[in-house]
């Protein structure tokens, strides 16, 4: 963690906190998103630019921005769209990508990440958005927001472009925990089905379990055990379990939700992002090869623009932490302003649909066994050796 001193007075021209720590009156009429301004690879200026783009497009959105006020105030002042919809909360310290989650959880109360989560916990904001250290964010989220009753281990749900009518499939887990046993995978299926209903509008989601083959005898023992558990729970959870699926099904139309452990899921996610970038680069090279190819590129420009938008990883940026008493959206650490704006858009959509309450209700109905122990005694495996996979 790094600390920065606040050497300037509170920012003028921006709504400050009112008595009792509640957002300013101008923010209460809007959907408030709590944003961790620090921790992203490209710096806070990029995050401020991203939320400014969202504010310009959406008059119903407002922000509580957390970080060193002395640094953030001049950045916010450069964006007129944030003048009446952004409140600054001073947080002197920053969680870096190299910080160990356990250390941050014990000593990170003065960080922007902790402050951003506290706004959701206190009911000041509906959703928290952060580009920071995934392991630290997950561990802090569990400590401050707590898990939903019946949830063994929270997971990150990420959207994957697909041929399905909704345009996306869900992948779980996207990097919250590098390992998962059979019960964890079963829980991911329950939460994934709920997210698909609430977030994607899929009335009866189809769930697939990622494996090295579709035959029931293939894969590790925990996968085969998870197969049996999900089959049993599917009968009363209002989703269809299609069994094992393979990597080629991720962008397909045979399933709506793909379940796997965080290590495998994150590798698949990063592979997909790299492949999308490679395709864009190869197309650019091909159309610049000759005069004729450049003419062809001009003729195909509208179609190429639609394709670029369809496969651009920045436009589906944002993994949702499922299984918490509150909604947290994890933006990619390397997100640019477009990516940050996409994560904010996702957060706004979830807030508008009352996603957190609906997920809690569905999980409570679907889960057959509740966890009654202290959440701190069964935290995600985000210790020093596994600090989360999304950078």
């Amino acid at each position: 963690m790094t600390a920065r001193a606040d050497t300037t007075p509170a920012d003028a021209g921006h709504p400050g906190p009112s008595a009792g720590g509640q957002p300013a009156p101008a923010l209460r009429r809007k959907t408030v998103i709590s944003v961790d301004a620090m921790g992203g690879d490209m710096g806070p200026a990029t995050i401020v630019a991203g939320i400014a783009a969202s504010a310009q497009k959406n008059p119903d959105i407002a922000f509580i921005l957390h970080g060193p006020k002395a640094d953030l105030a001049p950045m916010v002042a450069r964006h007129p769209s944030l003048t009446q919809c952004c409140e600054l909360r001073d947080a002197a310290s920053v969680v870096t990508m190299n910080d160990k989650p356990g250390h941050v959880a014990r000593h990170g109360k003065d960080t922007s990440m902790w402050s951003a989560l506290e706004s959701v916990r206190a009911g000041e904001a509906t959703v928290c958005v952060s580009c920071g250290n995934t392991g630290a964010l997950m561990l802090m989220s569990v400590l401050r927001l707590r898990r939903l009753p019946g949830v063994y281990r929270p997971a990150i749900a990420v959207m994957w472009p697909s041929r399905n009518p909704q345009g996306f499939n869900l992948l779980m887990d996207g990097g919250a925990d590098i390992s998962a046993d059979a019960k964890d995978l079963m829980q991911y299926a329950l939460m994934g089905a709920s997210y698909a209903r609430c977030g994607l509008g899929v009335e009866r989601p189809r769930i697939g379990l990622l494996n090295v083959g579709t035959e029931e005898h293939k894969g590790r023992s925990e996968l085969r055990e998870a197969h049996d558990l999900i089959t049993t729970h599917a009968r009363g959870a209002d989703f269809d379990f299609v069994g094992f699926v393979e990597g080629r099904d991720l962008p397909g139309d045979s399933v709506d939700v793909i379940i796997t452990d965080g290590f495998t899921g994150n590798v698949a996610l990063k592979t997909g992002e790299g492949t999308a970038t490679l395709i864009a680069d190869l197309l650019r090279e091909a159309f610049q090869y000759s005069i004729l190819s450049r003419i062809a590129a001009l003729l195909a420009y509208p179609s190429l623009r639609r394709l670029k938008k369809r496969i651009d990883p920045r436009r589906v940026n944002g993994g949702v932490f499922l299984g918490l008493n509150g909604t947290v959206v994890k933006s990619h650490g390397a997100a640019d302003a477009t990516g940050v704006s996409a994560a904010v858009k996702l957060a706004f959509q979830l807030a508008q649909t009352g996603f957190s309450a609906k997920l809690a209700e569905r999980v409570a109905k679907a889960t057959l066994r509740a966890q009654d122990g202290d959440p701190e005694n069964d935290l995600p495996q985000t210790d020093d050796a596994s600090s989360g996979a999304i950078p």
Side-chain angles (χ1 to χ4, degrees):
M1 295 181 292
T2 60
R4 306 187 186 191
D6 185 3
T7 57
T8 62
D11 52 305
H14 296 278
S18 58
Q22 293 300 314
L27 271 63
R28 295 177 191 167
R29 297 187 295 270
K30 301 174 182 286
T31 297
V32 181
I33 309 298
S34 179
V35 179
D36 172 14
M38 316 305 291
D41 295 349
M42 302 183 73
T46 297
I47 294 173
V48 172
I51 68 171
S54 295
Q56 191 171 11
K57 297 175 184 176
N58 187 350
D60 297 323
I61 199 168
F63 302 97
I64 302 176
L65 192 63
H66 304 261
K69 186 177 289 187
D71 296 341
L72 296 178
M75 300 177 191
V76 172
R78 288 196 290 267
H79 297 278
S81 61
L82 295 177
T83 301
Q84 296 300 322
C85 68
C86 183
E87 174 185 330
L88 298 184
R89 290 286 175 85
D90 188 50
S93 297
V94 176
V95 178
T96 70
M97 292 299 180
N98 295 323
D99 285 334
K100 297 178 180 178
H103 177 79
V104 173
R106 290 189 295 270
H107 306 286
K109 293 184 179 181
D110 60 343
T111 63
S112 59
M113 184 180 289
W114 185 286
S115 181
L117 290 168
E118 281 297 304
S119 288
V120 175
R121 184 173 184 263
E124 299 173 305
T126 308
V127 186
C128 172
V129 177
S130 176
C131 297
N133 183 315
T134 303
L137 182 63
M138 176 58 79
L139 194 56
M140 280 190 184
S141 297
V142 172
L143 288 172
R144 304 315 300 154
L145 302 180
R146 304 292 185 175
R147 294 174 302 177
L148 292 173
V151 172
Y152 308 128
R153 200 175 300 277
I156 300 178
V158 294
M159 290 187 292
W160 194 292
S162 76
R163 292 190 292 271
N164 273 320
Q166 66 269 20
F168 299 96
N169 290 336
L170 290 179
L171 174 67
M172 293 182 58
D173 176 23
D177 201 330
I178 63 171
S179 62
D181 61 20
K183 291 182 179 179
D184 295 329
L185 294 170
M186 181 272 293
Q187 186 75 71
Y188 295 170
L190 294 175
M191 294 190 294
S194 296
Y195 185 18
R197 291 192 195 98
C198 297
L200 297 180
V202 181
E203 184 175 349
R204 189 175 179 87
R206 297 163 298 167
I207 308 293
L209 185 60
L210 191 63
N211 200 355
V212 294
T214 58
E215 297 86 353
E216 292 188 13
H217 66 275
K218 285 192 173 182
R220 303 188 303 270
S221 58
E222 61 266 29
L223 287 176
R224 297 195 298 272
E225 183 181 352
H227 184 284
D228 295 337
L229 282 175
I230 297 174
T231 299
T232 300
H233 282 264
R235 296 165 187 163
D238 200 25
F239 66 80
D240 294 324
F241 181 49
V242 303
F244 289 133
V245 295
E246 297 177 295
R248 60 189 173 190
D249 295 306
L250 287 168
D253 56 5
S254 60
V255 291
D256 303 298
V257 182
I258 298 97
I259 304 301
T260 187
D261 61 85
F263 181 88
T264 306
N266 195 259
V267 169
L269 178 64
K270 298 298 175 55
T271 301
E273 292 174 354
T275 301
T277 302
L278 175 63
I279 291 173
D281 291 342
L282 292 177
L283 282 173
R284 190 178 299 108
E285 291 178 8
F287 282 117
Q288 292 178 347
Y289 181 73
S290 66
I291 296 296
L292 290 177
S293 62
R294 292 181 182 181
I295 295 174
L298 289 175
L299 295 174
Y301 180 74
S303 297
L304 291 174
R305 191 174 181 181
R306 286 195 297 271
L307 174 62
K308 180 182 179 180
K309 185 175 181 180
R310 187 77 174 84
I311 66 174
D312 188 350
R314 301 176 303 168
R315 297 184 181 275
V316 291
N317 177 47
V320 183
F321 286 6
L322 299 184
L324 301 170
N325 284 300
T327 306
V328 178
V329 174
K330 171 63 177 75
S331 170
H332 200 297
D336 60 7
T338 299
V340 172
S341 181
V344 168
K345 180 181 178 180
L346 173 60
F348 178 82
Q349 291 172 338
L350 293 176
Q352 287 288 289
T353 60
F355 167 72
S356 184
K358 290 180 180 179
L359 178 62
E361 180 182 359
R362 290 184 182 277
V363 168
K365 291 180 179 179
T367 304
L368 301 181
R369 182 174 66 87
Q371 285 285 91
D372 296 325
D374 184 354
E376 294 188 21
N377 293 331
D378 187 18
L379 294 174
Q381 299 300 317
T382 51
D383 54 14
D384 298 345
S386 59
S387 59
I390 298 179

